[in-house]
Amino acid sequence: MWSWVVTGVRAFRKDEQGTVAVIFALVAIILLVVGGLALDTGRAYVARARISAALDAAALAAAKGLRLQNLDNDEVLSLAQRVFNANMQGNVGSTQASTTQLGVEIDRASAGVTLNVDAAIPTTLGRVIGIRETQLNNVSEAKYGSGDLEVAIQLDVTGSMFGSKMVALKDATKRLIDTLIPDQDTGDGKVRIALAPFSGGVNAGHYAYDVSGQSSPCVYERLDPSYQATDLPPIGAQRLATKSEVGGQHVCPTLAPVLPLTDDKLLLETTLESYRAGGATAGHLGAAWSWYMLSPKWSSVWPSSSRPEPYDDGRTTKVAVLMTDGQYNTYHAKSSNVHSNGESLLKSVAAAKDTCDEMKKKGIIIYTVGFQLNLERAKEVMEYCASGSNRSFSADSDSELLMTFHSIAVSIAQLRLTR
């Protein structure tokens, strides 16, 4: 009897049939749990992003209400909660996050508002190992009107802008100026704006000799093209070339000189009104001059009141608005057909993209506006140069251009957000 039992136990111990199935079942359970945790982690990541966006919007609105409407603490919290709730509706989706009431800290001296909210996201398979929810804490801080603004506007004054389009551009730019430099000082920080018109070249006006070593107002690319996509000061081989040095058939906009940074609203508007359209489309020069207006390396060129602040000084936000109605197709005063892959077109597009890349590296925020652009290649340049898709705009009519510039002005004037 006992020998039969012992023999049976030994046989069972040596029998390996079904081992793979057992191992597979154990591994499958582990993989299922790991996959569930990855899914839960992804849901938590999405929830955090969506909650943060809603909290940012609430902080901005609350800080603005604090400064402009002088809301009391309860009113600030109520406004923040309404904006947060409105942005959360339908925006959390499958994450199924639940949030607490907002917590708020208010600094009236700086018009600053700090919001925080706790969130819980229920897990799915994480419950198998006892993790029933993921806890998140989100914080957002906003201050209204903290810091200074330097804004350079690239203006397309080429021949295709002649007539009603030029009128629309002037009206739209004036709207932007009015928004950023209101008639009544709000004490929200210094705002200075520069104008950088372009066509086949750039009219350097009073600054021609300082940037090219010659008195002719028309200037073009760097004398040494390897310096083109830089903001190095215009000295030696880094200086800008004149028409006699580049050749070509196109001249700069003689009736549209550049204007460096200024807070003189009347000067900005009268200078803008004097601009006249004509010439080809060297858009990369407009981008470059927008940069020069904002670059501290060009301080020696500009009068003291127009000298840009250092990059990353902790107070100044630098913004470029690049506007055009056509394909960049002119380089060294020579043009290519906009439907071709001519050398001038390829060089202008490449120089514009390189310049935008370098501007962004310096912390300059770029908005772009394509006005009645009908070439996909031209639109692509504008989309590429913008600091994100939300800063790339198109306008198909005069009225849309006015609204677009106003929207950009409001965006620029918005609160600088720290989180």
Side-chain angles (χ1 to χ4, degrees):
M1 175 68 179
W2 279 108
S3 62
W4 178 81
V5 172
V6 170
T7 301
V9 170
R10 287 176 178 172
F12 177 78
R13 186 176 62 187
K14 292 181 180 180
D15 188 356
E16 297 182 354
Q17 295 183 15
T19 302
V20 173
V22 173
I23 294 173
F24 176 79
L26 292 173
V27 171
I29 292 172
I30 295 172
L31 291 176
L32 185 63
V33 171
V34 171
L37 291 176
L39 176 63
D40 290 335
T41 300
R43 291 172 65 242
Y45 179 83
V46 172
R48 178 182 289 279
R50 292 173 175 172
I51 293 168
S52 293
L55 197 64
D56 289 348
L60 291 170
K64 187 173 182 179
L66 178 64
R67 169 62 69 87
L68 298 185
Q69 301 175 44
N70 196 30
L71 301 181
D72 62 32
N73 289 9
D74 290 340
E75 290 171 329
V76 169
L77 177 57
S78 177
L79 173 61
Q81 190 70 60
R82 289 200 307 273
V83 174
F84 179 77
N85 292 343
N87 280 273
M88 287 292 289
Q89 287 180 1
N91 195 34
V92 178
S94 61
T95 61
Q96 299 178 343
S98 59
T99 58
T100 62
Q101 291 294 108
L102 296 181
V104 61
E105 296 179 11
I106 297 172
D107 182 355
R108 291 190 171 274
S110 65
V113 174
T114 301
L115 300 177
N116 66 81
V117 65
D118 293 323
I121 300 92
T123 59
T124 52
L125 294 178
R127 300 185 179 203
V128 173
I129 56 174
I131 303 175
R132 303 190 64 82
E133 62 183 20
T134 302
Q135 296 284 339
L136 300 176
N137 177 262
N138 296 267
V139 178
S140 181
E141 177 186 357
K143 294 183 179 180
Y144 183 77
S146 60
D148 299 334
L149 283 172
E150 294 177 357
V151 182
I153 311 173
Q154 167 191 300
L155 298 172
D156 186 330
V157 294
T158 59
S160 58
M161 287 293 297
F162 184 81
S164 62
K165 292 175 74 174
M166 193 65 187
V167 173
L169 177 60
K170 291 179 179 180
D171 289 343
T173 307
K174 287 179 182 177
R175 174 71 69 86
L176 184 147
I177 294 170
D178 285 340
T179 302
L180 294 179
I181 308 179
D183 292 331
Q184 183 175 359
D185 184 9
T186 60
D188 295 333
K190 180 171 61 176
V191 178
R192 293 183 296 165
I193 298 174
L195 304 179
F198 76 91
S199 62
V202 170
N203 181 351
H206 300 301
Y207 311 101
Y209 187 84
D210 293 321
V211 301
S212 69
Q214 299 186 41
S215 58
S216 171
C218 295
V219 294
Y220 299 87
E221 292 78 16
R222 299 275 189 165
L223 197 62
D224 183 338
S226 64
Y227 297 113
Q228 183 57 40
T230 75
D231 65 336
L232 293 171
I235 56 176
Q238 298 162 191
R239 69 177 178 84
L240 306 185
T242 59
K243 191 169 188 300
S244 62
E245 292 167 318
V246 299
Q249 68 272 31
H250 295 297
V251 297
C252 67
T254 54
L255 295 178
V258 299
L259 180 65
L261 291 170
T262 180
D263 60 0
D264 188 331
K265 184 175 178 179
L266 180 60
L267 176 61
L268 282 163
E269 294 184 344
T270 54
T271 301
L272 176 68
E273 189 57 41
S274 71
Y275 287 172
R276 298 293 181 270
T281 311
H284 64 288
L285 294 182
W289 273 84
S290 297
W291 188 9
Y292 302 157
M293 303 289 194
L294 300 172
S295 172
K297 296 180 182 179
W298 275 57
S299 290
S300 62
V301 174
W302 313 126
S304 58
S305 61
S306 299
R307 290 171 184 165
E309 296 296 332
Y311 294 124
D312 301 324
D313 68 346
R315 179 174 177 80
T316 305
T317 301
K318 295 176 182 282
V319 178
V321 180
L322 310 183
M323 172 271 163
T324 188
D325 80 326
Q327 174 68 56
Y328 294 177
N329 71 330
T330 303
Y331 196 92
H332 272 190
K334 304 176 185 70
S335 295
S336 298
N337 186 292
V338 294
H339 298 287
S340 73
N341 286 318
E343 181 181 11
S344 294
L345 185 152
L346 296 178
K347 284 185 174 181
S348 182
V349 168
K353 289 183 174 182
D354 289 345
T355 298
C356 291
D357 286 340
E358 295 303 316
M359 291 170 72
K360 293 173 190 175
K361 290 178 184 178
K362 298 293 186 181
I364 297 172
I365 299 169
I366 303 177
Y367 292 81
T368 61
V369 182
F371 185 29
Q372 297 183 12
L373 287 183
N374 54 17
L375 293 173
E376 289 302 319
R377 183 155 63 174
K379 295 177 183 178
E380 190 271 333
V381 175
M382 291 288 95
E383 292 169 357
Y384 181 93
C385 277
S387 296
S389 59
N390 62 326
R391 294 191 172 102
S392 178
F393 296 83
S394 61
D396 295 326
S397 66
D398 294 353
S399 59
E400 284 187 19
L401 185 68
L402 186 69
M403 290 187 292
T404 296
F405 266 61
H406 178 66
S407 296
I408 291 174
V410 170
S411 177
I412 294 172
Q414 278 296 325
L415 321 175
R416 268 69 75 189
L417 187 67
T418 55
R419 293 179 44 209

